Amino acid sequence: MLSALKQFGDTYLMWQEGPLIWISDILILVTLIAIVAALTYFKKWKWLWKEWLTTVDHKKIGIMYLICALLMFFRGGVDGLLMRTQLAFPNNTFLDAEHYDQIFTTHGTIMILFMAMPFIFALFNIAVPLQIGARDVAFPYLNAISFWLFFFAALLFNIAFVFGGSPDAGWTSYPPLTELGFDPGPGENFYLLSLQISGIGTIATGINFIATILKCRAPGMTLMRMPLFTWAVLASSIIILSVFPALTVALALLMLDRIFGTHFFTILHGGNPMMFVNLFWVWGHPEVYIVVLVAFGVYSEVVATFSRKRIFGYASMVASLMAITVVGDITWVHHFFTMGAGPDVNSFFAVTTMMVGIPTGVKIFNWLMTMYQGRIRLTLPMLWTLAFIACFVIAGATGVMLAAAPADYQFHNSYFLVAHFHQALIGGVVFGMLAGMYYWWPKMFGFKLDERLGRWAFWLYNIGFYVCFMPQYALGLMGMQRRMYTYPAGMGWGTLNFVSTIGAYMMGVAFLVIVAQVLYSIKYGERDVTGDPWDGRTLEWSLPSPVPHYNFAVIPTVTGRDMWWTLKQEGRTEELRPRPEDIRDVHMPKNSGRPFLMGVAFFVAGLGFCFWWYGLAVLGLLGVAACLLLRSFEYDDEHEIPAEEIRHVEASLGRL
């Protein structure tokens, strides 16, 4: 214990050197004090506990995921700006090598696992139960556990910035670099434990939404009547269940190497580092499809709604989603063509990588055909969708270049690859998440986000995106390698890096405009009094905004695809309005503080393992076991909403 404390003290003191860290520590402390003071002054502690920390309502959980995703977007974006600032000029000393490695690692990890994943889970929770006519997800209690495991995993990962030092081996964390002999501090432990804890919640979410979609659909909602967003969530959840266990195994084995002295990846003791690389990318490449398929679902909803047309080729869109789900699982080796597996292996995975482009192309052509001769409205969700199409075509073209193994030998470790995966992940996923946020924002909060500020943010972000990443393709072809923290002046890279940095700052300003847009719209945004501000097509737009706790006063009977749109066209919208005599008592799950406390227990256990404090780790695990045990003896976990109360709520909303 004493040696662990000494190591913690040494690494903490080492990490505190430098004005950036001091400024960050002060800002974190001031923010925490301000939050506590505000909650105390406005007497909101009880409200926070009852309404949010203990909720099992899928809509509130979705909102909390969204808030966390935006906060992590800010943190990961700041990391990106720090890296671009360091690379703006040759021989720059803004960051030293160690700090750059740490920021490089946290940027990738946060953006993929603590920004993109909670963003898609926010949209899962906000839209899917409403689209399929359900009152909640299949397992509301498990849904709350999933969120709090993510929340405390993100907290554990981020406090490494202040206590102990951030991980510094890249977001892929390959051994032997991450073995204890080469990386003795707790930073890598923060990475491993936080991803493990978050991964448990992610697998639970995948199970939950597969069960919700397959078993909780309204009467008449057959699979081929489901909205394409729900299909995309089903496909994404299937991939989660097929690949996240591989990541869990890889991280667990590396954690055993570091904490308990095993040698799964230590060459001198019979281990094999390439086993980790394979396991990581068995998860790592399908992870791209986990997030981008959800974005594809958003685009499908947005294009149909704002073109005022039924989606073109619905069956082929479903088939392409499922094809990507299958083929995307057998493409991982293109991430290490350079390992020397031989021409047969490389050829197979080159072909499967190119094959993924076929169903993706089907979707893009179907979206374009949906827009063809449609009455297109250039709202914010539609603008982000149109921007995605142009961006993703470039990502697809450069992806096919990288899929050719001989060419990949030249591109692989260069900035060409950096530009490509940002083109795919920002152009595909971030654009999609922002489109989804704008699209379902009125349904969540009852008001629309300001269009004028949103358009400023849209153009700043898009122009900044191309200014930032187009030069990086050229830098890669000129020989600049990724993971470089500095470069000499004579290489001829300075001008392009400076231009790229300007683009990154434009994207940062765009994010601040989005924040300003949200704050402005809270007071001045157009209120949604109809529940259907976009003239939507699917069931969620038949409900008031925000949606009541019980979702549907009477579960609808679905008679066709895009049923809400059909009823509006035929003047039969009253069929989805509840009749007083049809309203019955509704059973809903009770709120519970146990998922929150379980998250705290996991956090304590993770912190203990990070610093090799086994007593604290055991205490945390006992807390987890206690929460599980208490839940197993809980039988009264539902409450009844009387029919009269539902009638009163529906009448106040003008629906009776």
Side-chain angles (χ1 to χ4, degrees):
M1 176 65 79
L2 288 175
S3 62
L5 283 170
K6 182 179 184 302
Q7 184 179 40
F8 166 73
D10 291 343
T11 53
Y12 178 74
L13 289 172
M14 179 183 67
W15 181 235
Q16 295 311 296
E17 297 174 358
L20 283 176
I21 310 305
W22 278 110
I23 292 170
S24 300
D25 291 348
I26 292 168
L27 288 175
I28 291 169
L29 184 61
V30 169
T31 302
L32 287 174
I33 292 172
I35 292 171
V36 171
L39 289 170
T40 304
Y41 179 79
F42 292 107
K43 299 179 180 178
K44 291 293 185 180
W45 286 106
K46 185 177 180 181
W47 166 83
L48 181 66
W49 176 258
K50 290 184 65 176
E51 296 295 326
W52 295 96
L53 300 186
T54 62
T55 187
V56 295
D57 183 349
H58 70 94
K59 299 178 291 296
K60 290 184 176 179
I61 290 173
I63 290 170
M64 290 192 292
Y65 268 125
L66 178 63
I67 293 170
C68 289
L70 291 174
L71 290 172
M72 292 298 98
F73 198 0
F74 174 77
R75 164 72 203 278
V78 169
D79 285 344
L81 290 178
L82 292 173
M83 287 191 291
R84 285 310 322 163
T85 303
Q86 167 63 21
L87 293 170
F89 305 102
N91 301 313
N92 201 355
T93 57
F94 176 70
L95 298 173
D96 61 29
E98 176 65 13
H99 285 171
Y100 185 89
D101 284 348
Q102 292 176 341
I103 290 169
F104 166 82
T105 301
T106 56
H107 170 73
T109 307
I110 285 173
M111 285 303 205
I112 292 172
L113 287 153
F114 296 121
M115 187 281 288
M117 292 301 289
F119 222 136
I120 69 167
F121 291 159
L123 300 185
F124 278 28
N125 278 279
I126 289 159
V128 169
L130 304 181
Q131 287 194 333
I132 64 174
R135 287 217 165 90
D136 210 319
V137 296
F139 307 112
Y141 184 89
L142 183 63
N143 198 27
I145 291 175
S146 295
F147 170 75
W148 289 114
L149 290 187
F150 154 75
F151 177 88
F152 283 104
L155 180 62
L156 182 66
F157 185 84
N158 279 275
I159 65 167
F161 183 75
V162 180
F163 299 107
S166 296
D168 57 3
W171 82 279
T172 55
S173 287
Y174 289 164
L177 182 60
T178 50
E179 291 285 326
L180 200 58
F182 297 99
D183 195 349
E188 183 62 23
N189 294 347
F190 277 109
Y191 171 95
L192 294 170
L193 271 301
S194 61
L195 265 60
Q196 286 283 52
I197 294 169
S198 178
I200 296 170
T202 299
I203 292 171
T205 298
I207 294 169
N208 209 343
F209 277 87
I210 290 175
T212 300
I213 293 168
L214 294 183
K215 304 299 290 184
C216 298
R217 301 190 307 277
M221 178 67 79
T222 63
L223 288 175
M224 294 306 288
R225 287 177 177 172
M226 292 196 311
L228 282 172
F229 179 77
T230 300
W231 267 110
V233 171
L234 178 61
S236 178
S237 298
I238 291 170
I239 301 177
I240 285 173
L241 285 196
S242 65
V243 302
F244 257 86
L247 178 67
T248 301
V249 169
L251 298 178
L253 295 178
L254 183 55
M255 189 171 67
L256 289 171
D257 277 10
R258 289 182 56 84
I259 294 177
F260 297 109
T262 58
H263 298 289
F264 290 104
F265 306 122
T266 310
I267 295 176
L268 293 178
H269 295 275
N272 185 356
M274 278 308 303
M275 181 168 65
F276 179 91
V277 176
N278 266 286
L279 286 171
F280 182 90
W281 286 113
V282 162
W283 163 82
H285 190 77
E287 165 66 15
V288 174
Y289 301 118
I290 289 171
V291 291
V292 84
L293 285 178
V294 179
F296 287 173
V298 172
Y299 299 135
S300 299
E301 300 296 323
V302 168
V303 166
T305 297
F306 296 110
S307 299
R308 297 177 65 83
K309 283 178 64 181
R310 175 172 284 199
I311 198 78
F312 180 87
Y314 174 88
S316 65
M317 294 287 269
V318 171
S320 64
L321 282 170
M322 293 298 106
I324 293 171
T325 301
V326 174
V327 179
D329 280 354
I330 52 174
T331 61
W332 77 91
V333 174
H334 70 224
H335 286 274
F336 43 97
F337 277 150
T338 55
M339 76 173 180
D344 293 339
V345 172
N346 285 357
S347 298
F348 174 82
F349 285 97
V351 170
T352 59
T353 302
M354 295 176 191
M355 284 173 57
V356 175
I358 298 172
T360 305
V362 167
K363 305 184 82 58
I364 289 177
F365 282 115
N366 282 8
W367 290 320
L368 292 174
M369 290 303 297
T370 303
M371 287 185 273
Y372 178 66
Q373 293 187 338
R375 287 174 285 173
I376 297 174
R377 292 172 288 160
L378 292 179
T379 59
L380 286 174
M382 193 64 176
L383 284 173
W384 285 103
T385 300
L386 292 172
F388 147 77
I389 292 175
C391 190
F392 212 70
V393 167
I394 299 173
T398 54
V400 171
M401 293 170 66
L402 289 160
D408 188 71
Y409 271 73
Q410 306 302 317
F411 298 136
H412 179 75
N413 211 34
S414 75
Y415 256 77
F416 187 94
L417 183 60
V418 174
H420 161 73
F421 69 67
H422 281 91
Q423 189 103 39
L425 287 173
I426 295 178
V429 179
V430 175
F431 285 16
M433 296 304 99
L434 290 174
M437 181 185 78
Y438 284 121
Y439 185 61
W440 280 299
W441 188 278
K443 188 55 57 183
M444 287 184 277
F445 299 105
F447 63 89
K448 293 166 72 173
L449 291 173
D450 182 72
E451 283 273 335
R452 181 178 57 86
L453 286 170
R455 287 173 186 270
W456 273 101
F458 170 81
W459 287 111
L460 276 170
Y461 199 93
N462 274 270
I463 294 171
F465 173 83
Y466 287 101
V467 172
C468 180
F469 292 107
M470 289 300 109
Q472 293 183 18
Y473 285 112
L475 285 166
L477 296 174
M478 293 166 66
M480 184 172 175
Q481 293 186 331
R482 55 184 174 154
R483 306 186 182 99
M484 296 178 69
Y485 91 99
T486 189
Y487 54 92
M491 301 301 294
W493 303 337
T495 301
L496 288 174
N497 270 304
F498 182 71
V499 171
S500 181
T501 301
I502 291 173
Y505 273 90
M506 289 178 69
M507 295 166 70
V509 171
F511 180 83
L512 295 179
V513 175
I514 291 174
V515 174
Q517 177 192 20
V518 170
L519 296 176
Y520 176 85
S521 301
I522 288 172
K523 186 173 183 180
Y524 300 108
E526 177 188 340
R527 265 44 196 175
D528 174 19
V529 296
T530 66
D532 189 14
W534 306 123
D535 195 14
R537 309 179 69 85
T538 45
L539 284 179
E540 72 267 32
W541 304 111
S542 70
L543 296 169
S545 303
V547 180
H549 171 54
Y550 48 81
N551 292 354
F552 296 90
V554 176
I555 298 297
T557 298
V558 178
T559 56
R561 184 156 44 90
D562 291 348
M563 180 181 173
W564 176 238
W565 175 260
T566 302
L567 293 179
K568 286 190 295 184
Q569 295 302 105
E570 298 175 358
R572 298 189 292 125
T573 56
E574 291 300 318
E575 292 182 18
L576 283 182
R577 293 286 180 91
R579 294 183 299 178
E581 62 271 21
D582 292 335
I583 296 176
R584 301 286 184 266
D585 296 346
V586 172
H587 291 270
M588 297 295 292
K590 285 183 177 179
N591 284 359
S592 174
R594 205 171 296 116
F596 176 83
L597 297 176
M598 186 181 293
V600 173
F602 267 106
F603 175 83
V604 170
L607 192 64
F609 280 121
C610 283
F611 290 104
W612 297 275
W613 298 341
Y614 298 119
L616 187 65
V618 170
L619 181 65
L621 292 176
L622 288 174
V624 173
C627 290
L628 294 171
L629 187 64
L630 289 171
R631 174 64 176 177
S632 68
F633 290 102
E634 184 178 23
Y635 302 104
D636 183 22
D637 59 355
E638 290 187 345
H639 71 282
E640 185 177 271
I641 304 177
E644 191 56 41
E645 181 181 333
I646 297 174
R647 292 190 191 100
H648 175 74
V649 172
E650 293 293 310
S652 68
L653 294 169
R655 290 168 55 80
L656 286 183

